[in-house]
Amino acid sequence: MTRRTWARPAWLLAIASAAVAWWLVGPAGWPGVAAGPVQAVSAGAALTGAPGLHPMSAPGADADAGARRRSGSSIDSTADPLLVDGLRNTLEALLLEAGDASDPATLKQRLASLVGKHFPAALATRALALAERYVDYRVALGQLRAPQDLTDPRALRDAMDARHKVRLKLFDGAEYDALFAREAELDRYTLARLEAARNTQLTPEQRTQALQQAERELSSERRAERSAATEHLAAAAQTAAFNTQNADDYTRHAARSAQYGEAAAHALARLDREEQHWQQRLDQYSQARAQQGDGAAALQQLRQQLFSADEQQRVDAALALRKLQATTPGS
């Protein structure tokens, strides 16, 4: 049997930014958030687990887990095959497949029939028990009050402390580490940066020192992740600038190889070519659609010729984005 969700699924990370809004405003489908007893429980209301996309938690909260992460230790998958990196994503994928339910008890019943698709048979019993407590955790989150001001470090600290207490109540130390330690470290870092930025009593030098101290509190693994993410954003911005300037291949390669190295420069050049080919095919299809109309059989045949099955799912969204950009000032 294929374990499609045992490893961290890329699609789950891609939409995990929705988790921030879900936590901060409360999942409407969970009991306790302006919900009557007949309101549906939405198992897919939140998808979490992506590094760097979580609301801030308080310094001092999750301190034991933070100390372990800063010391360089990480989850030891050899000690317990259930408590591995990606566990939280697997639980969320399990809940997503279970779908909406009228109450947590009904949702838990569905999980029992699906757990074997997401976890190895030897771990299914323990995984189900953990998943049921994870449902309880999600319900409890829905009963917490979200911060009134999302830019107020004190309000965020209080909210994250409340969330931390829920986690400690429902999960033991090893489970906590597997599910939340990575996020908690980034939460502490993000809140420390927010506190430094919002503290008007700090001098510029003191603010810089506070930001540097927050950076030092991160484990080497998290610092490497942040560095990689920063480089990714910088490369994307650089490519956008190149496109605006109609920079030639030589100019692009010279700048990229100097900044990122030869291998990365060649990889970025390949992405340039792929993007250019994609845009050319979109141009061809868009022109044909303007002439023939959406319902023309010839247009559907052209769509299949120009785009793969996966690409066809992106065509309409890509054309809509083009239209939006064309009507947006400064785009």
Side-chain angles (χ1 to χ4, degrees):
M1 181 183 299
T2 301
R3 307 294 175 188
R4 292 179 291 104
T5 59
W6 187 236
R8 176 169 301 185
W11 61 267
L12 195 58
L13 301 184
I15 58 177
S17 57
V20 176
W22 174 85
W23 198 95
L24 292 175
V25 303
W30 290 96
V33 188
V38 297
Q39 187 166 6
V41 176
S42 175
L47 296 174
T48 56
L53 295 176
H54 299 277
M56 287 64 77
S57 66
D62 315 325
D64 292 339
R68 286 193 291 273
R69 303 299 285 182
R70 289 193 296 275
S71 68
S73 63
S74 59
I75 298 172
D76 183 2
S77 60
T78 63
D80 190 329
L82 176 63
L83 306 181
V84 297
D85 285 329
L87 172 61
R88 191 174 179 189
N89 291 326
T90 308
L91 291 176
E92 290 288 355
L94 173 60
L95 294 178
L96 184 66
E97 184 171 355
D100 295 344
S102 59
D103 56 76
T106 301
L107 179 58
K108 291 178 182 180
Q109 291 177 353
R110 294 182 185 174
L111 297 181
S113 64
L114 296 171
V115 68
K117 298 176 60 176
H118 296 261
F119 292 90
L123 301 175
T125 300
R126 291 180 58 213
L128 177 59
L130 182 62
E132 290 175 344
R133 278 185 285 127
Y134 194 74
V135 170
D136 295 337
Y137 166 67
R138 293 264 300 264
V139 172
L141 282 191
Q143 296 170 342
L144 298 179
R145 174 172 296 183
Q148 293 289 325
D149 182 358
L150 303 184
T151 65
D152 179 5
R154 169 53 62 180
L156 290 172
R157 180 193 299 274
D158 292 342
M160 296 303 108
D161 278 342
R163 185 187 65 175
H164 177 61
K165 291 177 181 177
V166 172
R167 290 174 171 178
L168 292 182
K169 180 179 179 180
L170 291 170
F171 305 102
D172 65 29
E175 292 168 345
Y176 180 100
D177 281 353
L179 292 169
F180 308 117
R182 183 192 194 100
E183 172 193 333
E185 182 181 6
L186 291 167
D187 286 349
R188 290 190 300 273
Y189 169 76
T190 308
L191 183 54
R193 289 181 59 88
L194 179 62
E195 287 179 324
R198 297 276 293 182
N199 190 341
T200 58
Q201 297 180 353
L202 294 179
T203 66
E205 293 78 11
Q206 290 173 328
R207 183 170 290 107
T208 298
Q209 292 175 359
L211 293 174
Q212 291 174 344
Q213 178 60 34
E215 188 80 22
R216 286 192 292 269
E217 289 294 312
L218 284 176
S219 66
S220 57
E221 184 181 3
R222 296 294 84 75
R223 284 196 296 270
E225 289 174 352
R226 279 185 48 78
S227 177
T230 301
E231 287 187 358
H232 174 76
L233 293 174
Q238 184 186 62
T239 297
F242 285 152
N243 294 340
T244 301
Q245 300 162 5
N246 291 321
D248 58 31
D249 292 343
Y250 176 82
T251 300
R252 294 175 185 237
H253 183 81
R256 288 164 167 170
S257 59
Q259 187 168 357
Y260 305 113
E262 282 291 322
H266 286 296
L268 289 168
R270 184 179 66 253
L271 291 176
D272 283 346
R273 293 190 295 270
E274 292 174 355
E275 176 64 15
Q276 183 180 21
H277 187 218
W278 165 253
Q279 294 297 334
Q280 290 172 345
R281 288 179 288 146
L282 283 178
D283 287 340
Q284 184 177 350
Y285 179 76
S286 179
Q287 292 170 4
R289 188 167 72 170
Q291 296 172 356
Q292 302 174 20
D294 289 334
L299 182 66
Q300 296 303 315
Q301 183 178 2
L302 178 63
R303 184 182 181 116
Q304 294 175 1
Q305 292 174 349
L306 291 175
F307 306 105
S308 68
D310 289 339
E311 288 175 334
Q312 289 181 44
Q313 300 179 30
R314 299 165 46 204
V315 169
D316 293 334
L319 293 177
L321 179 60
R322 276 187 170 194
K323 184 176 181 180
L324 178 63
Q325 291 173 334
T327 58
T328 302
S331 62

